[in-house]
Amino acid sequence: MPATTDELLRMYRTMVLIRLAEERLVQLFAAGEMPGFIHSYIGEEATAVGVCGALRQDDYITSTHRGHGHIIAKGGDLGLFFAELYGKATGYCRGKGGSMHVTDMDLGILGANGIVGAGIPIAAGAALACRMRGLDRVAVAFLGDGATDIGVFHEALNMASLWEVPAVFVCENNGYADFMSRAAHQRIERVSDRAASYSMPGVTVDGNDVEAVRDAATEAVGRARGGGGPTLLECVTYRWRGHYEGDPQPYRTSDEVEEWKRRDPISTTEARLRAAGALDDASRDGVRAGALAEIDRAVAAAEAAPMPSPEEALEDVYVGIVEVGWS
Amino acid sequence: MPATTDELLRMYRTMVLIRLAEERLVQLFAAGEMPGFIHSYIGEEATAVGVCGALRQDDYITSTHRGHGHIIAKGGDLGLFFAELYGKATGYCRGKGGSMHVTDMDLGILGANGIVGAGIPIAAGAALACRMRGLDRVAVAFLGDGATDIGVFHEALNMASLWEVPAVFVCENNGYADFMSRAAHQRIERVSDRAASYSMPGVTVDGNDVEAVRDAATEAVGRARGGGGPTLLECVTYRWRGHYEGDPQPYRTSDEVEEWKRRDPISTTEARLRAAGALDDASRDGVRAGALAEIDRAVAAAEAAPMPSPEEALEDVYVGIVEVGWS
Amino acid sequence: MTRLSYARAVSLALAEAMEADDRVFVLGEDVAHGGAYGATVGLLDRFGPSRVRDTPISEAAIVGYSVGASLAGMRPVAEIMHMDFIACAMDQVVNQAAKVRYMSGGKASAPLVIRAGTGGWLSAAAQHSQSLEAWFTHIPGIKVVTGGTPADARGLLLAAVADENPVLVIESLSLYERQDEVPDAPPPYRLGTADLKRRGDDVTIVTWGAMVPRVLEAADVLHGEGVGADVIDLLTLRPWDADAVLASVSRTNRALVVHQAYRHGGFGAEIAATIAERAFDQLDAPVGRVGSLDVPVPFSPPLEEYVLPTAERVAAAVRAMA
Amino acid sequence: MTRLSYARAVSLALAEAMEADDRVFVLGEDVAHGGAYGATVGLLDRFGPSRVRDTPISEAAIVGYSVGASLAGMRPVAEIMHMDFIACAMDQVVNQAAKVRYMSGGKASAPLVIRAGTGGWLSAAAQHSQSLEAWFTHIPGIKVVTGGTPADARGLLLAAVADENPVLVIESLSLYERQDEVPDAPPPYRLGTADLKRRGDDVTIVTWGAMVPRVLEAADVLHGEGVGADVIDLLTLRPWDADAVLASVSRTNRALVVHQAYRHGGFGAEIAATIAERAFDQLDAPVGRVGSLDVPVPFSPPLEEYVLPTAERVAAAVRAMA
Ligand SMILES: Cc1ncc(C[n+]2csc(CCOP(=O)(O)OP(=O)(O)O)c2C)c(N)n1
Ligand SMILES: Cc1ncc(C[n+]2csc(CCOP(=O)(O)OP(=O)(O)O)c2C)c(N)n1
Ligand SMILES: [Mg+2]
Ligand SMILES: [Mg+2]
């Protein structure tokens, strides 16, 4: 079932929100406001939004180091999100996680991950739990192309196929793993060809086409939910910015980047909505203004929020135990 | 180039030697003479012998927990071998390694392994070294079907294809990983199909047909030696005995075992040699008698050899350091 | 009371836990076949293949699936056949299971259990004989327990499954066949509480796991020589019962820590350092430590026997403190 | 003498080692691009892609290939970007590299180097900030070294590459930008020998890695208070220079061990326990230990600053011993 115009509009709005939130983050980071690393999702919005468009709120996802888009697409609260990235006490993780560990159990966000590939078996295990509990939920593991080289990817997919867990492995093939182009880290035409090693359906889709992603995800999610087992879904996309903010990117040409910018998932969607008469300049501006206002509110709240007090570091290690601090 | 009758006869002799040595080991183990575990290679002889028939003495192999056949096929010294399995000071590893760790650097045997799959990157790394050193050696990693599920298999093959290392990954698909049938541990028709994940040639061959194994190995080894990169070579075979000596094997039927015994790699070869006029009852008995005499000598020497003195445990941890013992 | 082997006590506890709570399931290599060392015998017949899951040889995924399943409401109990193999799953144990709660600011928790068959005296050489508890006692976010008797193995495993945190349960393979009394009703075990296995006033011996019977043997010998030993079985290594240890040391004024793991850098160092620090004025002798020699575990029995600690060496260490 | 950053000292040592010995090559994620933190800058241009190898994200294979290549005559230097990621390669490090010599009865050896970027103060949270040396100091068969200055980082790395054993080289990411004098000719470093970084008679402070500059800072402060500290930088953690430490303690009669790693179960416990045992009669106060609090490393700067040890806490610990 293709997306209705309403759905498309909703996805468009989310993509714009991600883009603008990321742009704001980039500015804040450059201004020295954000501690740690930032891995920008700009350019890949259609993947997160298309996939999450196929999910219910009670479905699970595991995210990655490049996870901001996933969090927002799954419905994450922008205020809690920004506060976390600022390291504030009011953040999603009370300031303990930061950019790479945003978690929202109410939305099925089982955490992002600082370890490449580590979320793959975790999502699959959550999918197994759903099946064992008789729930018709599914779990999506987001992962990069680089993550398909690490051992646990292989182990997790083999086990998923064996147990027919209701999982979808969404590979965001953005052409690079760190500074290494895909040709420099794996010799294989399509990432989705790796599904054959597990007799699992492998699908490749234009990751910059939110409708195509949403359709492919809907099919894979539907199969999983219906007991038909897991899918490896490759979304071919591109990261516009460096691996991390500050990456000088000597490993690629600006021509290559510009070429991909011409395939901007947001402009593409905008054009479609305009063609369908569902968007004009005014409503487009309205979408952007709405997103910006939301971001402004979130950032302002985050900035105003207190840093955690040092002793909060002692909590949340174990259920039922608070550690001893410096005396 | 197919094997000459002479070569076939040589391979036959080695298979018989492995079979009879393993049978002796099984007896000794049952009689309580051997410490530790024993994983019998009986029934799989054609794989080790066919593969090693395609190798030079200076080529490398890494072996597995089920490694006795590899050691003997690569030219291992039966006396050092038995002495090691007895835990004697005169053994290959001075009694420190036992059945799972036989090593002979002069024969390129880089060690067996108690960790499933761990020898795969080690062989590939040795292959890389050969290439970097400008040597035309190749390295073979022996591995089981179960080992193709563990992460490092995937990582090692991906890197091997990327770097075109002169390695051959020989999967001895004997239908089981421990007590788990192949269908219980992976959902894929041929193990060799996994090669496609690395754009690597994947070949499946009858692992009980020593000529077929030798031919396929010769091709793969030749490709590797000539700079054509690695191959995943699946040899379909069967282990006649339990996973380890003492395994009650409730997980399979004796019919299944008997069926495979009818495809005994040694009888098959024998029949071919007879048809070629290269073997008759007398020479067959001669081969067996020769092997038994060699085994008798090795076992007698091993039995007569001294156990290591306790303090020898303190040596061989580091080059240049001897550890401190109990005072 | 029933006489059970250690392995049978483990399967009893697993069955009890699965009976009591539908969310509990077991996974691991060969577990549906009873397990490589027989710790899961009978579970498949009783609970069926959905709750007793054979896995491929994929230690990282075994633990990773357990993390995910626990986050999503189940109570997985994963088996790692030999503790040495946990090296293949370290990221999932240490960077995922142990940290997910903290990194999420308390939002998520991963109540999973990892059972690991551990230790030497199997003539199984360097990759099948290690006691690696020190890797985990160093890591905040996971609990570590180990029983040295069938009854303790059962009680601790039940408590581990009931715990809301990830728990590593170390089982001594060399004790698997050992039989002992196990009470009919599962007694409550509190993680973090040590057990005084024997009482004596001259020295405190702190130990755990496979060394428990060996230390008790040594204590018998010492008793015959007129030396009385408090034998404290820690049971939980993280968090460990420092109060019990220090209370005993304040009475005996001498302490020895004994474990099977390599002595050098073993968890015994933490205990010894803690005693030496916090009981500084009470000690009549340096805190002793007995553990494996600083070499990998060798295959050949006389070598292995030399490298691993024995009752005799424990007794000798106590005598040297007199 | 030249002023170099720690990162630049590392790339200098790599270039020197590669220049001196054709068998030396480097591999790891992004190393051909200079490395994620710039420790391999310039090597690709100078030595070419065969000896400077970018790898896929495959830590186990990075170490496994290194083991194989070292067995077959090469001298690999593998980079693990953050030490936390070594969790993905533990089997190859601990069960393979560290044991191949022993298991083969001395037939094989694996002269490889693993460089691991380590530690916190990066606001990188729990999976990118750990100091895990205690996992390896517990394991016989591998050596462990770590420098706290650019000169030491360079000298130790050269010695590690020249060593016939597998060596883990821990590099402190928080020191990477720190500049200091580096001698023109590479001085010989002997693994296993500690360096007395500062002399004083009142207390012995044993430390390493990222804590070296912090401890020296504390020693300055203490000096101003009339307390003189011997600051011993271990440099090699396995095998560690117990003689140097004990000699110092016999003079100062007080000892403090300081490391960035979690205090609980850290390698400091081994050192403290050893001092407490072997210098029992010489100690005027319990051996102190300062390390990270027993929690994962948090993201937010005030939390991280609270959890990791500081110069101030080191000074406070010494004052408490007076
Ligand atoms: C196990 C592990 N190794 C290395 C890293 C360092 N690292 C962080 S992101 C990254 C690249 C990931 O590439 P990919 O999976 O394609 O994701 P992308 O960044 O392109 O979204 C690497 C190597 C890590 N976090 N974890
Ligand atoms: C990492 C690891 N996990 C588990 C084991 C226990 N184990 C030893 S052999 C084996 C089965 C191996 O199966 P396969 O690779 O097919 O080899 P086969 O025994 O059939 O020759 C297992 C699970 C191990 N040695 N290492
Ligand atoms: Mg990528
Ligand atoms: Mg098999």
Side-chain angles (χ1 to χ4, degrees), chain D residues 24-58:
Chain D
V24 178
F25 71 104
V26 307
L27 71 168
E29 292 151 20
D30 303 321
V31 294
H33 290 92
Y37 296 97
T40 56
V41 163
L43 297 181
L44 178 69
D45 288 347
R46 187 145 161 214
F47 300 102
S50 171
R51 293 178 70 194
V52 185
R53 291 182 171 264
D54 270 353
T55 65
I57 308 176
S58 301

Side-chain angles (χ1 to χ4, degrees), chain B residues 230-254:
Chain B
T231 302
L232 175 58
L233 173 59
E234 173 188 13
C235 301
V236 181
T237 180
Y238 195 80
R239 66 164 155 76
W240 288 13
R241 302 190 57 83
H243 171 58
Y244 54 83
E245 286 308 301
D247 172 3
Q249 305 172 61
Y251 49 83
R252 64 180 182 183
T253 63
S254 58

Side-chain angles (χ1 to χ4, degrees), chain A residues 35-37 84-88 94-101 113-116 146-147 149-151 177-180 184-185 244 251 307-314 317 323-326, chain D residues 28-30 33 35-37 54-59 81-82 84-85 88 122-128 290-303 305-310 313:
Chain A
F37 310 102
E84 184 59 31
L85 270 66
Y86 271 94
K88 296 298 178 79
R94 312 181 61 195
K96 287 176 183 152
S99 162
M100 288 193 290
H101 302 295
N113 220 304
I115 304 293
V116 168
D149 298 335
I150 199 161
D178 273 13
F179 314 154
M180 295 170 288
H185 75 78
Y244 53 85
Y251 50 83
M307 278 292 181
S309 70
E311 292 74 16
E312 289 178 45
L314 306 172
V317 184
E323 298 298 333
V324 178
W326 297 97
Chain D
E29 292 151 20
D30 303 321
H33 290 92
Y37 296 97
D54 270 353
T55 65
I57 308 176
S58 301
E59 278 75 10
M81 198 183 290
H82 279 261
D84 314 67
F85 310 163
C88 299
L122 310 172
S123 296
Q127 297 172 332
H128 282 69
V290 173
S292 288
L293 294 179
D294 198 20
V295 308
V297 181
F299 163 69
S300 186
L303 298 178
E305 194 56 36
Y306 179 71
V307 163
L308 298 179
T310 57
R313 296 231 160 82

Side-chain angles (χ1 to χ4, degrees), chain B residues 66 144-146 172-178 185 239:
Chain B
R66 195 175 305 289
D145 51 302
E172 307 181 298
N173 172 3
N174 62 7
Y176 288 87
D178 273 14
H185 74 78
R239 66 164 155 76

Side-chain angles (χ1 to χ4, degrees), chain C residues 62-271:
Chain C
I62 291 170
V63 179
Y65 272 60
S66 299
V67 173
S70 69
L71 291 173
M74 297 296 288
R75 296 266 172 167
V77 181
E79 175 173 308
I80 300 290
M81 200 184 289
H82 279 261
M83 190 174 204
D84 313 67
F85 310 162
I86 210 168
C88 298
M90 281 302 276
D91 175 65
Q92 289 292 332
V93 179
V94 167
N95 291 329
Q96 311 301 329
K99 295 190 175 38
V100 62
R101 179 169 174 79
Y102 195 79
M103 296 186 307
S104 69
K107 287 214 156 46
S109 43
L112 62 93
V113 169
I114 302 168
R115 300 175 37 245
T118 301
W121 291 296
L122 310 172
S123 296
Q127 297 172 333
H128 281 72
S129 305
Q130 291 171 99
S131 302
L132 297 167
E133 63 267 24
W135 286 359
F136 305 95
T137 49
H138 189 40
I139 302 297
I142 191 163
K143 296 187 176 182
V144 182
V145 306
T146 186
T149 66
D152 288 341
R154 183 246 214 144
L156 288 168
L157 182 48
L158 281 169
V161 175
D163 203 276
E164 297 297 328
N165 299 287
V167 184
L168 173 65
V169 178
I170 296 175
E171 298 173 2
S172 291
L173 291 174
S174 62
L175 302 181
Y176 256 37
E177 300 305 315
R178 241 182 140 103
Q179 304 234 345
D180 210 338
E181 300 292 311
V182 173
D184 295 327
Y189 274 66
R190 257 192 87 240
L191 298 193
T193 306
D195 184 42
L196 186 65
K197 282 270 185 305
R198 181 187 178 113
R199 172 91 194 214
D201 289 327
D202 301 313
V203 62
T204 300
I205 310 183
V206 181
T207 192
W208 56 86
M211 292 312 295
V212 171
R214 289 172 175 84
V215 166
L216 290 172
E217 200 186 313
D220 265 349
V221 171
L222 291 166
H223 179 75
E225 300 170 9
V227 177
D230 257 14
V231 176
I232 297 183
D233 181 349
L234 278 188
L235 296 183
T236 304
L237 307 184
R238 184 178 182 88
W240 66 284
D241 194 346
D243 291 344
V245 170
L246 293 169
S248 168
V249 173
S250 76
R251 182 161 44 75
T252 63
N253 309 115
R254 280 184 172 74
L256 178 74
V257 190
V258 179
H259 56 54
Q260 184 185 175
Y262 309 116
R263 180 190 197 272
H264 187 269
F267 184 54
E270 176 64 37
I271 297 169

